Amino acid sequence: MQFKININGRSTICEAQPEDSLLEVLRRIGIYSVRSGCETGNCGVCTVWLNGTPVLSCSVPVARAEGQCVTTVEGVSEEAAALVEALSEEGADQCGYCAPGLIMAVLAMKRELSMPDEEGIAHYLNGNLCRCSGYRAQMRAIRKFLCAEK
Ligand code: FES
């Protein structure tokens, strides 16, 4: 079957079965920033936006994205640049596997919450796991990014 999805501002026709996950389809068409992790909706590395709302693409059947707008980190690269820099400065980008999903979650949080405190940030991002950084470096980077964007 064919699905027509607006991906990062571009109308895209994807060949897929309706039950294929959005994650599988995005990677099949070459969007490798969208990472595959637990594939059970628990680790956050596959986070993308569906109509501006963060979703776990491993748990979204591609049929749900038909006619909708999907955004991956490639679609927000300018906005993400300062966050990427802050993550790097604070030593939070170790293996980097979690970074694209984390970036999509942080940028969504920035739109939803006005200057969250550490507790608010930790609560919003509790579905985005990182096996390397211990989260403190990420927290410093995210706070630095949010303060600079004020
Ligand atoms: Fe390695 Fe987060 S930096 S999983």
Side-chain angles (χ1 to χ4, degrees):
M1 279 184 77
Q2 292 195 327
F3 294 92
K4 188 173 175 185
I5 306 172
N6 183 307
I7 301 174
N8 296 327
R10 230 184 236 164
S11 180
T12 308
I13 303 290
C14 303
E15 280 289 342
Q17 296 304 310
E19 66 276 14
D20 289 350
S21 70
L22 182 57
L23 165 68
E24 285 177 89
V25 174
L26 290 171
R27 289 186 61 87
R28 204 180 294 150
I29 64 169
I31 304 184
Y32 299 118
S33 71
V34 185
R35 304 273 160 79
S36 174
C38 67
E39 297 196 20
T40 57
N42 283 294
C43 76
V45 299
C46 66
T47 303
V48 301
W49 295 349
L50 185 60
N51 299 327
T53 298
V55 294
L56 299 168
S57 61
C58 73
S59 302
V60 175
V62 70
R64 251 187 72 202
E66 163 68 24
Q68 311 299 312
C69 294
V70 170
T71 308
T72 70
V73 78
E74 288 85 352
V76 290
S77 55
E78 271 182 39
E79 189 183 349
L83 177 56
V84 170
E85 199 177 311
L87 289 166
S88 171
E89 283 169 3
E90 295 298 332
D93 60 344
Q94 294 187 19
C95 80
Y97 200 76
C98 64
L102 177 70
I103 288 166
M104 296 312 288
V106 171
L107 296 183
M109 178 182 71
K110 187 176 138 229
R111 285 162 167 73
E112 276 180 50
L113 308 179
S114 145
M115 282 314 287
D117 59 12
E118 282 205 10
E119 199 181 335
I121 294 169
H123 181 73
Y124 194 95
L125 299 176
N126 72 5
N128 288 83
L129 304 185
C130 173
R131 65 184 178 179
C132 307
S133 74
Y135 302 104
R136 294 312 307 163
Q138 285 185 348
M139 183 62 78
R140 286 196 306 274
I142 291 163
R143 295 202 71 173
K144 185 190 256 188
F145 168 70
L146 292 175
C147 287
E149 297 279 309
K150 244 194 330 190

